[in-house]
Amino acid sequence: SRLEGRCSAGSDRAKLCEIMWCGRGARRVAEPEALVSASLDVEVARQTTEEDEQVSAEMWKWFDPRAVGAGREPARATFFAVETPELAKAGAGPKGSTRFLALNGLWKFTWSPRVGSAPRGFERPGFDDRKWGEMPVPGNWELNGHGFPIYTNVQYCFYAKPPTIKYRGKDPRYNPVGSYRRMFKAPACWFEQHLEVFLHIGAVCCGCKVWLNGVQLGFSTDSKLPTEFKLTPHLSRGKNILAVEVLCWNASSYLEDQDAWWLGGITRDVYLFARPPLHIRDIKVCAGADCLLKLDAELCISGAALLAGEALHCELFPRGSESDPEKRVCSFDVPVVGRSQEVATASGEFLCKDVSLWNAEQPSLYTLVVASPETSAGVAEAIALAVGFRTVEIAHSRVMLNGRELTIRGVNRVEHDAVKGHVVSREAMIADIKMMKAHNFNAVRCAHYPNDPVWYMLCDEYGLYVVDEANIESHGIGFLPEHTLANDEAWGEAHMARAQRMVQRDRNHPCILFWSLGNEAGNGINMYRAYMWLKRADPTRIVQYEGARLEPLWSSDKVETIDMNTDVYCPMYPSPAKLKAYAELHEGSSCERPLIMCEYMHAQGNSVGGLQQYWDEISSYGILQGGFIWDWMDQGLASQANGKDIWAYGGDFGPSDTPSDYNFCINGLVQPDRTPSPALQEVKKVMQPLAFKAVDLSEGRIAVCNRYTFQSLENLDFTWSVLADGIEVQGGALPSRLDSSPGVWQEVTIALPRMSCDFEYHLLVMAHVRTDSGLEQAGQEVAWEQWQLEVGHNAAETRADAPLDQPPPSPLAQELSSQVVVTAGPLVATVELSSGLLSGLKYHGLELMSTPLVPNFWRPPTDNDYGVLLPKMCAGWRDAGRQAAVIHGPQVVKHGPVSTQLEVRLSICNGSAELAVSYEISAEGVLVSAVYCPAASKAASRAAPPRIGFRGCLVSGFEDVEWFGRGPHEAYMDRFQSARVGRWQGSILEQTYKYVRPQENGNKFDTRWMALKRRPEDSQCAGLLISAASGSRLLGVQCHRYALEDFDGPEHRDQQHVRHAGELIAREETDFCVDAVQMGVGGIDSWGSLPLPEHRIAPDECFKWSFWLHPIHPGGTTGSTDLAAQARSLRQQRMVDSQ
């Protein structure tokens, strides 16, 4: 049609494209039908059985890459036509119209494991389906009792020999078929009004054939776009039988190799709709920032004679005011012109006045109501379209929206539901958008296919910029020109159809700023043609494609050579250094492509380390305009293992031969039930739309910059507070109202209180939403910043400690045959002579330690650790602490009136390092001091350990924790920006973050002290205070009611003992860690990139740290209940004893 704007193979652009690409080796198919048939015949001959021979001839089309569909209606924009303009204005929609019949619900269904075993003749009205079961529509078979879910990433679940299908498991002919039947009766008014009736199937995986009353209507491929069939010629007034056959995998599956579950079935809504003989078949609306509204429509007239002056009547209203004529923005008619006996067109434009422009921050929408002319029988229709006025363009090497430079704070989103698989409800979509907006996202990439139309409607309404991506990924074929399907003309129609039909469905949505040609599908003649068609069909949007590069593979560090078929440079998983390199090359250019990362920060497991470094670069260079984190949600499926609820991943379903890429589908910022990961908090903080800086903290002067693109700060309330040792001592609203425009800094002065040298002070400034707006609720936190305050000359006098009623008891040291036992008042500490480890700590007779305090150089591998083979590279460090050999000691080196000091030197990891440990024991507790030094001779040949510290285990009875440091969520060396310094508390059980696959978790970074408390307090000991000693570096600490070994895994993660967090079993004891350092978690990717250099432990780096193990007295004057005071007292005790 004219609306499609097809670019034929013979056009000048296509010829130019052919010449350019064929010079690089495009594969041309002289006789495509013969080649396809020949390859099919070979495979069929190899697989044929007696039952297959009867169906192979009629199924051959499934294995012809050029057979993309037949009998289906041309693609069109998403809309539903109701009977009258009044209904359209009232927002009646399908459910308020008599021209809609929902077919969702239970259908008669049978499942067959192979093509040849599917029932024959089931489409006939008289077929006996009484023994069949039922299947929900929409629904995935595998989650409703038929077959099993399969997860793979790059590899197909069948052998990559296009276009044939041969399953990778033991049964090569396994290729399930679902057969559906549904009886329905059409409303009588449809016949009385002579309406045309159509079937809409929202999505089918992976291809379908459709029959009505035994007559085949056609077939369709592309599992993420709708297919529609005209039913009128075959529709009966009484009972009708609709039959659908769904084949799980066919030739088109080679273009659907997304990193996701392979699930079959009808996955979106199915319904019938009726239209008058003269109806709007398709409509295109373009509304720019110049306020010019353009309309281009195609009408079906079915031979009806058009009267002179026939027109589409159009009215524009602000969203929500459609029923108020006083608020109508404009009204105009668009003439209808007949083109043939079947087709008419209508084109027009109108300059609107006083309209607000659409953007994600202020998503101003309007409703365009379009009414068609009446038929001779007086039947008409009307549609309501959401319209957003905006213009997106690239100008001077910047992506611009409405004339302003954009910064994309984006995330990739896969359609996924933990229970329903690929069936996602409207409520779930709203929940996603609400969380995204609350965590400072402004953009989403539909990964890697067109989403349910409802998603785009919601993004229009609530404000998210969208990359709409064609359902094209052939990752498993490879990217070389001689291999990729993108460069094979036999697959040209399949590539083109998927791009075209996406655009034709979605082009009226203002939220869509970018079209994407697909994902990881190579490059070649087919992608060139698709790009050129897109640029011609829709010049109002930007087209992107990550695969548009001359190099077959991308690099994390090197800038690729960008090919012609992308408007932006959209690399995958670049390092911050690569961003900087590109920016330094092109920042000053006005004709280079802006850079927007299509994927970065692979959020698999405990990840997203180094995000701040990315945004430091983005904030420094205008040509770097943000990116999309991979990805939003862990694609786990609700299941059970060992009687416990789990989130299942690859390898958890099917027989042992099921293809699987294990837990690579678990890489989201939220878990399958939308439980936020700690990394999501980091994303929110780093991407916050405000910038803060300290101007002069001694005078309380700070500045705030508005980093929104369009809105001012008028709807934000700002508060401040001063914290002393993590507790707020003073605060309030900022004295000056901040209402600056985008890009503007505004300074404010805060009257700070006097401060005492006894405390550590921090200034916290926070911004919250003032009033409810869209999905934002009043009081919702938007941004914050915190600074440590220096105690200056105006500090209050230091509080003098009360004199002791009596001197502390002198320690008594006893060297036994295997131990040194030191008694100091109520405290008894034991050090093993054979290992040099602190093995016991009693207080008032209660033993606190279940196991010795052991040097620790290992962490349970994260998914990123597995990606760089860290469990193999660092294998020697796994048990290095337990296997440490005593070089010297332990021996008493000092015995004074207050404390006794023991020292021991340990050889670590077969002489790779030495650890010198000192235990200074007094009635206050044990001061542990340690110095770690790697051996210079082995530093270059051995990988550094992932952590350096100690681990221990406390006896049962410890239930709660309080700490002064960063929190409340976990934080690491490269992911701590979102964890502010304060006093935090909770149960010990809550301190474990249960990543879907258990791994390193729960770290508390920059910790001053942590108190592990017993509940209820007993008469012997209230808990254990672990505090950094005076002069020591801040600590990394953890506490868990799970054994650390339960988080751990062997060299290969698929052999892990506890594979799912749901299988973890809490125990009575408490494991804890006290670290000098732990390497960052990384996040550039999860398959080869280490954390950034500044977030690693250098092989030749020495570390020195010290901490107190201080039993907490259950009450009274001897042991203060103020934990901060006790921590300060410990430092003073150390100083007193040193004197």
Side-chain angles (χ1 to χ4, degrees), residues 762-779:
H762 290 84
L763 171 64
L764 174 65
V765 176
M766 304 178 68
H768 296 86
V769 174
R770 178 174 299 154
T771 58
D772 292 349
S773 175
L775 291 178
E776 294 182 338
Q777 297 179 340

Side-chain angles (χ1 to χ4, degrees), residues 653-676:
F653 300 101
S656 59
D657 62 308
T658 304
S660 171
D661 279 320
Y662 199 58
N663 72 323
F664 205 74
C665 58
I666 306 297
N667 41 34
L669 294 169
V670 300
Q671 292 200 338
D673 61 353
R674 291 182 180 79
T675 298

Side-chain angles (χ1 to χ4, degrees), residues 300-314:
C300 287
I301 57 178
S302 300
L306 288 174
L307 300 177
E310 294 278 25
L312 299 179
H313 182 63
C314 304

